[in-house]
Amino acid sequence: MILDLDKFPAHPCQTQCPECRQFVTTETSTSVSSVTCLICFMTALIGCVAGCCLIPFCCDRFKDITHTCPKCRVCIHTIKKF
Ligand SMILES: [Zn+2]
């Protein structure tokens, strides 16, 4: 059970939803922010020189991770990579 938002891992975890007050296992999803797009673009430019195999790795690494309550669908916490 994790109640400290700063300690949320990058995978689903058990917590108390601040909205519906239920004990839930969060659902995680990755979202692409504008920063991610920018980095992907820059990586693509570098990738043209260094090899395109680096691009998917970098794109995934810089995505935000959002923890969502499975009952009321509220966004409990978002882990920012920046
Ligand atoms: Zn909830």
Side-chain angles (χ1 to χ4, degrees):
M1 183 67 64
I2 301 166
L3 295 174
D4 189 347
L5 290 177
D6 291 329
K7 293 196 172 69
F8 267 44
H11 52 81
C13 64
Q14 287 198 312
T15 189
Q16 185 180 25
C17 172
E19 193 68 27
C20 62
R21 294 283 157 200
Q22 300 226 41
F23 291 100
V24 296
T25 302
T26 61
E27 291 175 0
T28 52
S29 59
T30 51
S31 58
V32 179
S33 64
S34 55
V35 178
T36 310
C37 290
L38 186 68
I39 287 172
C40 282
F41 181 68
M42 287 166 62
T43 309
L45 285 179
I46 299 165
C48 289
V49 181
C52 294
C53 56
L54 294 169
I55 296 169
F57 168 75
C58 290
C59 286
D60 223 36
R61 188 184 172 91
F62 292 114
K63 278 177 184 170
D64 292 342
I65 296 159
T66 305
H67 285 268
T68 311
C69 172
K71 299 207 190 285
C72 65
R73 313 307 305 176
V74 76
C75 171
I76 297 172
H77 185 56
T78 302
I79 302 168
K80 297 275 184 193
K81 293 293 177 183
F82 291 96

